[in-house]
Amino acid sequence: MYQTTYHKGQSLDQVRKLHAELPEPSYISGGFTLIPAMKNRLAAPENLIDLRALPELRGITRDGDRLRIGAASCHAEVAGSPEVAQSIPALALLADSIGDMQVRHMGTIGGSVANNDPAADYPAAVLALGATIITDQREIAAHDFFTGMYATDLAEGEIILRIDFPVPRSAGYAKLRNPASKYAIAASFVARGSDGSVRVAVTGAGEDGVFRWFDAEQALADRFETASVEALQPDPGMMLSDLHGSAEYRAALVKVMTARAVDAQGSVDIC
Amino acid sequence: MNAHPDGGRSGNALGAGDIPQMNWDQTGPEMKMVRDALFRHVGKPVRRKEDHRLLTGKGRFTDDFLLEGQTYAAIVRSEHPHARIISISADAALAAPGVLEVLTGADMVQDGIGPLAHNPLPSTKFDMKLCAPGGGIPFVGEHHALAIDKVRHVGEAVAVVVAETPGQAADAAELVEVEYEALPHVVDSAQAAAQGAPVIWDEVPGNVFVESSFGDWDATERAFATAAHTVEADFHVSRVTAVTIEPRAAVAQYDPETGRYELFAGSGGAVKHKGELARCFGIDANRIRVHSYDVGGNFGARNRVYPEFALVMWAARRTGRPVKFTATRSEAFLTDYQGRDLRTKVALALDADGKFLAMRADNLSNVGAFCVSLSPLSKGAGLITGSYDIPVAALRARAVFTNTMCTQAYRSSGRPEVTYAIERLVELAARKLGVDPLELRRKNLVHPEQMPYRNAVGQYYDSGEYEQNMDRALELFDWDGFAARKDEASQRGKLLGRGFANYVESSIGSPKERAEIEVFDDGRIEVVIGTQPSGQGHETSFAQVVADMLQVPVERVFIIIGDTDVVSVGGGSHSGRSMRHAGTVMAMASAELLALARGHAAEMLETAADELAYADGVFHQRGTNRSVSLQDLAARLADPLRVVTDNEMHTPVFPNGAAICEVEIDPNTFHVAITRYVSVDDVGRCINPMIVHGQTHGGIAQGVGQAMWELCAIDHDSGQPIAGSFMDYGMPRTDNMPFFISEIAEVISPTNPLGVKAGGEGGTTPALATVTLAVLDALAGMGVEDIAMPLTPQAVWQAVQDAANTQAKK
Ligand SMILES: Cc1cc2nc3c(=O)[nH]c(=O)nc-3n(C[C@H](O)[C@H](O)[C@H](O)COP(=O)(O)OP(=O)(O)OC[C@H]3O[C@@H](n4cnc5c(N)ncnc54)[C@H](O)[C@@H]3O)c2cc1C
C-alpha cells in the first residue's frame, strides 16, 4: 500500500470540501473493495475520506411504496432489516449471500453500487427493481446509472446518499457462485413491478457489467413462467469469458439463472 | 513409448541382493522393555500440547520475530517468463526515502554467493534413481537467489531493496528499472519436450534433463503383444500450490565479530536449511544458526530453501542491520514452490479373465525453470503399479525445464499423480471388458501373503491388507445403498456419482535422525529432535511415545525443535518420515537412557544392575524397599542424565488404503457438490488417533481441492500466471466439504520398532482419483469419458458439451 491519509467524514459539506481541496482524494465506505486494491498497489489515493458516519447515508426506512436504504448500510444491516425483509425479501437474502461474514459487516450498498463490479450482486437488484440512486446532487435512474464495467454516471466527487427502491409485486434472485471468489459467475434478478411490468437484470456474466435482458423481460411479461425463458437463447457475444466461465457457458447459465429467479419469486436460489 | 529408449538405462540402482531390511532387528533388554511399555499413552487421543500456545497467540512464527534495528526487504521480480537482462538501474530506488541498499545478481556474484544448494536428486538407498538422458548426473540448473543474466519465470527475483520500513522498500522496488530483451518462452511440459521448443538452459538444448527407464521392457513388450486386452490413456495431473496460511518469511542478522549469520525462517527442517545455506555462501555450517519454530503450513512447499532466505542473510551482512522479508499473498501465489504438474501416458495389458499382465508408463515432470526437487518424479516412478499385482512393467521417467515457477514435493509427492493414473486406467479397463470395476480390482490386488511384495519396478511393499481396506471402505460408504441414493437424487433433478480408489504410497525421507534425551532434576524430560512440525502435533505425539517408553506421565516430556544450535542433526519433516524416523531413534535413545540410568541406579543402590526392576520411572531393587527414580538420579548425578543417539534408516514403508467419494451434480449449472467421502488408511501403528484423523481430514481436503478447484493457471501465449489470488484460485472450505468418514487401519510395519508407517498423506493420495471417477460416473449417461482437473462447473459443462458434439458427429 502506498502512503495515504485517512479523514473521518463529519458532515456532507466537510467531506465535499475535503474532496475538492485535497490532492488525489477518494471516498471510502466499507473499504472492502478499495483497501484490497490499495494493498495490491492498484489504487493509490493520497487521501481517504470516510463517508460512513454521515447521517445522510444511514438508515433503512419504508416510505409508502418506496424502500430507502442509506448508502452506508452494510450488507448485514440490509440482510437483517425487517423493513427490507417485508418489502423485498429477495433483496435481504441477496445481501445475505454476499461474500462472507466479514464482507457483509464491512461492505456497503453505496460502495458496491458506486464500484459497479461486473460480478457484484447489488447492481442486478438495483437495475431490475428500477431503483433510483439519490446523490448529493441529483437523482439518477438505475438504467442511466450503470454505464459499463466498473463505470457509473457518478461525477467526480459526487456522493451516493441512498438508494430508493420501488416496492415490487414480487422479486427473486438466482446466482451461481464462482468456486474461488464466491462472486457470481452468472446471476439474475427478476422483478415484477406493481404495474405488472417485468425487469430482468443479469450480473456476473456480461462483458459490459450488469445488463438488462430485454428478450426475457418481454417473454416473461407475456407469460410469467420459467418456460418463457427456456425458449430463449442469450447471446454469447455479449458475455464475459475468463478462467471461470467461457462466454458460451455463461450464456447458458444466464438462461438457467433467470428461470430459477422466476421460480424463486419472494426468495433467492443461491448455489 | 514402445521402444526401449537409448538413453537412461540406469534402471533402479538397486542390485538384486539389495533388499530392504524388513525386520527391525535391534534387540536387547532395554529395547524390549521400551517396546513392551507402549500403550499407556500411545494409541490414545491425547490433547495437543501445542494448541494452547497456538490458540492464544503465543506461537512463534517467523514474522513474529522482531530483531533490534530490523529493516525490510522488498523484491523486484521479473514480469517476463523468459528474458535476457540488459541492464538494471537502481539510482532512483537508492535515492528514495529510507532506502539502505539495492542489490542485484551482479553484486551477488561479486560477493561470491553461489546458487541455492537444492540437491534435488533422491539419493537414499531405495529411492528410484534418476539420471540424465544417456546416463550420468543430470544438469539441474543453477538457482541463484537473484537472476544473473536472464530470467526464466515470471516472479523470479531480479533485485532486492532494503529500507527502513516495509512501505519504503515496496515503494523503492518500483523505482528499480530493469531493461529486458524478451525471449520466446514455453510453459507446458509436453511443448517444452517437443522439437524446436525455446531453450531454457543452454546446457540442455532439448529441455529434457532427466530420462531414466525402469522395469523390464522386453517382458513388458511381449506381454502387451499377446495380451487379450489392452487399454491406454493420457493424463495431465495439474499444477497446484500449497497456499500455506502463513506466508513464507525470513529475518536474518549478521554478527561481524563472530562472522555468524542468524536466520529465523519457518521451514520443513532447520538443520537441512543450515547445511544448504552454508553451501550457498561457501562457508562452514557452524557459521549459520537457523531458527524454525511454529510453522503455519508446509505441505512440502517449505522443505527447500527459498531465494529470500539467502537474500536477507546477505543483505544483513551488507547493511549491518537485521533484514526481514515477508511474502505478500500475491508473492506466495507467484513464487512459493508449486506442486504436481505431471504428464503421464499409461497402458495396461490384461488377459481374457481380467488378470493384469503388464503395465507401461511414460511420465514427464514439469520442474519449472530450475530443478528444486525430483522427488515427485522419483516417488511416483516407484508406485506406477499401485496396489495391484502386475507382473511386469516398463517406465520411462523424464523431467523437463519450462518457463514456470519451480515445482517441489507437494503433500504426497508424486503419489496422487500415479494413483490417479492407475486407478483411472483400471476403471477404463473394467469398462472395456464390461466387468465390475471393484471385482477387477479385487482380482488383481496384492495380497497379504505376498508381503513383503516386490513390485514390477523394484519397490518392496512392507505390509498391508489391501482387500480388507477395500471391504471396510465399501461398508462405511454404504456402497450398496448407492442405487437408492441415486434414485432419490434424480428425483431432485440431480446426478449422483461415486468414485472408488485404492492406493499405496511410499514413505522414505531423509535417512538420518538424532534424538537427545535428558532427564532434569525437576523431573522434566527433554527430547531434542530434528523433525519440524507445521501443524502435525509432534510435541504431543512424540511426547506420548517417549512417555510410554520411559514410563512417565506425558506432561513431563517436552519436545525441543527448531534451533540449530540445539538440534545438531535431523532430517526435518517430509515424505511422512517424522514419526517413523523420530519414533525409531527415540526408542533407541530411550533404551540407551534406561541402560545408562540402570547402571547409575545400581551404583547408587550398591547392587547389581540386573537386580533392578524398572516401572513407572523408578528403579526398584527386587525384594527390598530400596528404589531410585529417574528424577532422583538426575538430581544426584554429577553429570547430566542424558543420551545422544543417532540412527540411519533407509528402509521405506508403504502406507495404503482405500477411499470413496460421492458427488452430486446439478445438470443445469454443472456445479459439483461432494456429498460423501470415506477413507480407510493403514498408517501402521497409530500413536494419536485424534491427530491422525485430523491429518486425514486435511489430506482429503487438499486432494479434493486439487481435483475440484485449485489450479495454477498459466496463459500459454503470454506465459503469465493468471490465478494469482483467492479471487481466481479456488480452495477447499468448510462450506464445500462434507463430513468425512475416516477410519484408521493399523497393520503394523515390521520395519521399525514402533511399527509406524505414516499418516499425513494418505488422505490426499487417492483423492484426485476418487473425485474424478465420481464425476465421470455421474456424467456417464451423458457420454463423458474424460475430464481434466479441476472439475469446476465450467470444466464439467465443457466436457458435457464436447461429449454431446462428439455424439452428434457420430
Ligand atoms: C473477500 C470479498 C468477497 C466479496 N464478495 C462479494 C460478493 O460475493 N458479491 C458482491 O457483490 N460483493 C462482494 N464483495 C465486495 C463487497 O461487497 C464490497 O465491500 C463492496 O462491493 C464495496 O463496498 P465498500 O463499502 O466496501 O466500498 P469501498 O471499498 O469503501 O469503496 C468502493 C468504491 O466506491 C466508492 N464509494 C463508496 N461509497 C460511496 C458513496 N456513498 N458514494 C460514492 N462513491 C462511493 C469509493 O470511493 C470506492 O471507489 C466482496 C469483497 C471481498 C473483500
Side-chain angles (χ1 to χ4, degrees), chain B residues 13 109 192 278 339 371 381 389 403 428 476 500 533 571 607 623 687 778-779 785 798:
Chain B
V109 173
C371 181
D389 181 16
N403 294 115
L428 285 173
L476 290 169
F500 176 95
T607 180
I687 308 300
L779 300 176
E785 285 172 3
Q798 191 65 54

Side-chain angles (χ1 to χ4, degrees), chain B residues 379 410-413 415-416 503 505-507 574-576 681 695 699 758-766:
Chain B
K379 280 290 188 68
Y410 170 64
R411 198 167 193 168
S412 194
S413 167
R415 287 94 89 190
Y503 77 90
E505 50 175 25
S506 60
S507 167
H574 57 268
S575 190
D681 302 279
Q695 288 292 306
E761 301 178 319
T764 307
T765 308

Side-chain angles (χ1 to χ4, degrees), chain B residues 507-538:
Chain B
S507 167
I508 308 179
S510 179
K512 291 188 187 157
E513 197 56 62
R514 169 178 291 176
E516 301 178 25
I517 303 185
E518 181 165 354
V519 182
F520 291 88
D521 57 8
D522 60 357
R524 156 190 177 94
I525 296 172
E526 286 189 1
V527 183
V528 176
I529 193 89
T531 62
Q532 174 64 59
S534 46
Q536 300 89 333
H538 292 183

Side-chain angles (χ1 to χ4, degrees), chain B residues 629-761:
Chain B
S629 69
L630 285 182
Q631 180 176 355
D632 296 340
L633 281 172
R636 286 157 65 179
L637 287 172
D639 292 330
L641 180 52
R642 172 168 183 266
V643 293
V644 180
T645 308
D646 285 297
N647 185 40
E648 181 164 342
M649 184 164 73
H650 287 262
T651 304
V653 291
F654 293 80
N656 57 85
I660 317 176
C661 174
E662 188 165 291
V663 299
E664 193 175 288
I665 300 182
D666 178 334
N668 294 307
T669 61
F670 302 92
H671 175 266
V672 180
I674 297 182
T675 48
R676 190 176 285 236
Y677 202 101
V678 166
S679 183
V680 173
D681 302 279
D682 171 6
V683 302
R685 168 96 61 222
C686 173
I687 308 300
N688 184 323
M690 179 190 71
I691 289 177
V692 172
H693 280 299
Q695 288 292 306
T696 304
H697 294 178
I700 295 171
Q702 210 148 7
V704 168
Q706 168 156 21
M708 293 281 291
W709 309 287
E710 299 184 45
L711 180 68
C712 293
I714 297 187
D715 178 59
H716 284 212
D717 293 337
S718 64
Q720 295 294 327
I722 49 178
S725 78
F726 291 119
M727 292 298 283
D728 292 310
Y729 191 93
M731 292 289 290
R733 314 177 187 220
T734 49
D735 68 354
N736 57 21
M737 286 282 139
F739 268 85
F740 306 122
I741 305 168
S742 62
E743 192 168 278
I744 299 163
E746 284 188 274
V747 179
I748 303 306
S749 175
T751 63
N752 62 83
L754 292 178
V756 167
K757 287 175 183 162
E761 301 178 319

Side-chain angles (χ1 to χ4, degrees), chain B residues 201-263:
Chain B
W201 289 94
D202 293 341
E203 292 84 346
V204 186
N207 297 325
V208 174
F209 67 101
V210 164
E211 178 166 345
S212 291
S213 58
F214 303 94
D216 186 335
W217 285 69
D218 295 336
T220 303
E221 280 326 299
R222 282 197 302 274
F224 268 89
T226 56
H229 308 282
T230 63
V231 283
E232 58 181 33
D234 221 330
F235 301 120
H236 181 205
V237 178
S238 48
R239 179 184 288 231
V240 290
T241 186
V243 198
T244 58
I245 204 161
E246 178 202 12
R248 69 180 196 269
V251 53
Q253 60 191 355
Y254 178 74
D255 182 345
E257 298 207 347
T258 58
R260 268 193 118 203
Y261 296 87
E262 193 171 6
L263 173 72

Side-chain angles (χ1 to χ4, degrees), chain B residues 22-339:
Chain B
M22 275 300 157
N23 288 302
W24 175 261
D25 64 350
Q26 206 164 340
T27 47
E30 266 74 23
M31 182 53 89
K32 182 175 173 341
M33 209 160 88
V34 299
R35 291 180 76 171
D36 289 349
L38 290 175
F39 310 126
R40 191 182 304 184
H41 300 101
V42 164
K44 304 233 160 55
V46 174
R47 289 279 185 95
R48 288 170 29 117
K49 295 175 109 174
E50 44 276 86
D51 282 350
H52 189 266
R53 177 179 84 244
L54 295 172
L55 294 174
T56 54
K58 304 227 169 60
R60 291 181 298 167
F61 297 91
T62 303
D63 199 50
D64 294 330
F65 289 92
L66 307 173
L67 305 185
E68 180 141 10
Q70 168 178 302
T71 64
Y72 298 85
I75 312 290
V76 179
R77 298 186 182 280
S78 166
E79 289 158 12
H80 294 270
H82 200 191
R84 205 169 299 291
I85 299 172
I86 306 294
S87 66
I88 302 177
S89 166
D91 298 346
L94 278 167
V99 172
L100 301 168
E101 183 85 280
V102 178
L103 297 168
T104 66
D107 301 320
M108 199 179 61
V109 173
Q110 206 160 43
D111 281 6
I113 293 168
L116 302 177
H118 290 309
N119 188 18
L121 277 164
S123 58
T124 74
K125 232 185 202 165
F126 300 105
D127 280 312
M128 303 289 278
K129 302 294 184 311
L130 299 167
C131 63
I137 296 171
F139 171 83
V140 294
E142 287 195 347
H143 190 193
H144 287 279
L146 293 175
I148 295 171
D149 51 350
K150 68 173 189 169
V151 290
R152 292 178 174 84
H153 69 87
V154 174
E156 187 174 348
V158 174
V160 55
V161 177
V162 181
E164 296 286 352
T165 70
Q168 288 171 336
D171 286 349
E174 288 183 354
L175 302 175
V176 175
E177 286 166 32
V178 187
E179 194 188 332
Y180 296 100
E181 175 198 338
L183 298 170
H185 65 269
V186 60
V187 296
D188 175 84
S189 58
Q191 286 171 14
Q195 283 278 315
V199 175
I200 291 145
W201 289 94
D202 293 341
E203 292 84 346
V204 186
N207 297 325
V208 174
F209 67 101
V210 164
E211 178 166 345
S212 291
S213 58
F214 303 94
D216 186 335
W217 285 69
D218 295 336
T220 303
E221 280 326 299
R222 282 197 302 274
F224 268 89
T226 56
H229 308 282
T230 63
V231 283
E232 58 181 33
D234 221 330
F235 301 120
H236 181 205
V237 178
S238 48
R239 179 184 288 231
V240 290
T241 186
V243 198
T244 58
I245 204 161
E246 178 202 12
R248 69 180 196 269
V251 53
Q253 60 191 355
Y254 178 74
D255 182 345
E257 298 207 347
T258 58
R260 268 193 118 203
Y261 296 87
E262 193 171 6
L263 173 72
F264 296 79
S267 73
V271 176
K272 181 172 158 174
H273 277 46
K274 171 174 110 167
E276 292 185 3
L277 284 162
R279 275 169 46 214
C280 170
F281 279 72
I283 59 175
D284 201 83
N286 64 23
R287 282 184 54 199
I288 301 180
R289 177 179 185 183
V290 180
H291 303 263
S292 171
Y293 300 104
D294 291 310
V295 175
N298 174 1
F299 315 113
R302 281 192 155 99
N303 286 344
R304 305 289 174 153
V305 171
Y306 277 106
E308 294 87 0
F309 295 4
L311 292 179
V312 292
M313 287 168 61
W314 173 41
R317 191 184 77 202
R318 294 270 307 216
T319 58
R321 301 266 300 273
V323 180
K324 177 181 270 188
F325 165 79
T326 305
T328 63
R329 184 58 67 187
S330 310
E331 282 179 302
F333 272 113
L334 201 59
T335 52
D336 276 357
Y337 293 133
Q338 302 180 343

